[in-house]
């Protein structure tokens, strides 16, 4: 149980393109979803916390207009990297949890901006 | 906010030896401490967790201990195997955070030599 699916797993696109990443909880209702960014050989950096039906809470230094988060249902959250540039290249991972339960992670999305 | 320090950053052991990874946290109100294992390019997977009302928890070869007074917790892996090689992250969650936001340590690269 507690499976989180993240798509796509790998994206390569041109600078200026917007990229959408989906995070789905397959067998539980995710009251809260989290979006992280991870640089090579580094820890997980929380970008934002999203709750179903409400606006996401962004961490300090994360541009909300750059990283659009939508949590439209209890099983789906999306992260859109708008007008992506090479410095946005990274590994993005989502996690999801139900009330009182641990966070479970998706497989991550490797984003490469040319 | 919460700050989590993790040591060592790298750990190399021989197969069959024990491995210990230590973390300290700053927020005395933190009440939940999970450990995640992340293999290269894959999702972090929850391997064990402990709540603040418990001092120790064990699951086969893995154990976690918590010292609330000193604000530190440790992961113990006994009889290590090559497949234990991965990056391990500790994390802490503040009691006051109803959304369950985790603060992660910097990670420990564990290498188990056959």
């Amino acid at each position: 149980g507690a499976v989180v699916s993240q798509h796509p797993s790998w994206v390569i696109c041109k600078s200026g393109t917007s990229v959408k990443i989906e995070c789905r909880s397959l067998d539980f209702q995710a009251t809260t979803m989290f979006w992280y960014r991870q640089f090579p050989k580094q820890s997980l950096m929380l970008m934002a916390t999203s709750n179903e039906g409400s606006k996401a809470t962004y961490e300090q230094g994360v541009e909300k207009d750059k990283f659009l988060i939508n949590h439209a249902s209890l099983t789906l959250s999306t992260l859109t990297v708008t007008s992506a540039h090479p410095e946005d290249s990274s590994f993005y991972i989502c996690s999801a949890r139900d009330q009182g339960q641990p966070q479970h992670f998706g497989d991550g999305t490797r984003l490469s901006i040319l | 906010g919460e700050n989590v320090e993790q040591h060592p950053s790298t750990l190399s052991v021989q197969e069959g030896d024990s491995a210990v990874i230590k973390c300290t946290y700053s927020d005395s109100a933190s009440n939940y401490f999970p450990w995640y294992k992340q293999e290269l390019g894959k999702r972090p997977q929850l391997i064990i967790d402990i709540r603040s009302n418990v001092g120790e928890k064990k699951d086969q070869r893995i154990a976690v201990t918590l010292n609330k007074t000193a604000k530190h917790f440790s992961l113990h892996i006994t009889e290590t195997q090559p497949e234990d090689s991965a990056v391990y992250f500790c994390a802490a969650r503040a009691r006051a955070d109803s959304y369950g936001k985790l603060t992660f340590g910097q990670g420990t690269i564990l290498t188990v030599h056959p």
Side-chain angles (χ1 to χ4, degrees):
Chain A
V3 178
V4 177
S5 174
Q6 185 173 343
H7 292 281
S9 57
W10 196 294
V11 179
I12 302 174
C13 58
K14 294 181 179 179
S15 185
T17 307
S18 291
V19 178
K20 180 185 282 189
I21 302 169
E22 289 190 352
C23 182
R24 294 180 185 271
S25 57
L26 299 186
D27 53 359
F28 67 100
Q29 291 188 329
T31 51
T32 308
M33 286 186 171
F34 303 87
W35 288 95
Y36 295 86
R37 185 171 179 175
Q38 188 176 32
F39 291 102
K41 297 185 179 181
Q42 293 192 23
S43 189
L44 297 153
M45 184 189 80
L46 180 65
M47 299 174 65
T49 302
S50 77
N51 292 282
E52 185 263 341
S54 61
K55 290 183 179 180
T57 302
Y58 289 81
E59 295 299 301
Q60 192 172 9
V62 179
E63 299 176 58
K64 59 180 67 176
D65 294 331
K66 174 74 172 178
F67 300 99
L68 301 179
I69 291 171
N70 184 278
H71 194 156
S73 75
L74 282 171
T75 59
L76 173 64
S77 177
T78 61
L79 167 68
T80 301
V81 183
T82 62
S83 187
H85 292 287
E87 58 267 28
D88 298 322
S89 298
S90 191
F91 191 54
Y92 294 87
I93 311 179
C94 71
S95 72
R97 70 183 290 265
D98 196 1
Q99 191 81 14
Q101 297 300 313
Q103 285 188 34
H104 296 279
F105 286 84
D107 279 327
T109 297
R110 190 160 302 283
L111 176 62
S112 296
I113 308 298
L114 305 177
Chain B
E2 174 71 280
N3 183 49
V4 177
E5 296 287 332
Q6 183 172 346
H7 298 281
S9 56
T10 60
L11 180 59
S12 184
V13 300
Q14 288 296 127
E15 182 176 2
D17 287 350
S18 295
V20 181
I21 303 170
K22 298 180 179 181
C23 289
T24 60
Y25 59 99
S26 60
D27 188 349
S28 58
S30 290
N31 66 348
Y32 174 67
F33 308 92
W35 284 89
Y36 287 86
K37 174 185 179 182
Q38 186 179 29
E39 296 178 19
L40 189 63
K42 296 190 176 181
R43 72 176 77 192
Q45 290 190 306
L46 179 69
I47 56 172
I48 197 167
D49 56 11
I50 192 168
R51 298 185 185 276
S52 58
N53 58 346
V54 176
E56 183 174 359
K57 183 176 178 181
K58 190 173 181 180
D59 182 4
Q60 299 183 337
R61 297 187 296 109
I62 295 173
V64 56
T65 58
L66 171 65
N67 183 326
K68 286 191 297 183
T69 304
K71 290 188 285 187
H72 68 69
F73 56 112
S74 300
L75 177 71
H76 304 255
I77 306 175
T78 58
E79 300 173 32
T80 54
Q81 301 165 3
E83 50 265 40
D84 294 329
S85 297
V87 182
Y88 291 80
F89 292 100
C90 64
R93 184 187 72 199
R95 187 195 313 272
D97 193 317
S98 60
Y99 296 139
K101 187 171 76 173
L102 296 174
T103 301
F104 284 86
Q106 296 86 345
T108 297
I109 301 172
L110 173 64
T111 304
V112 180
H113 299 281

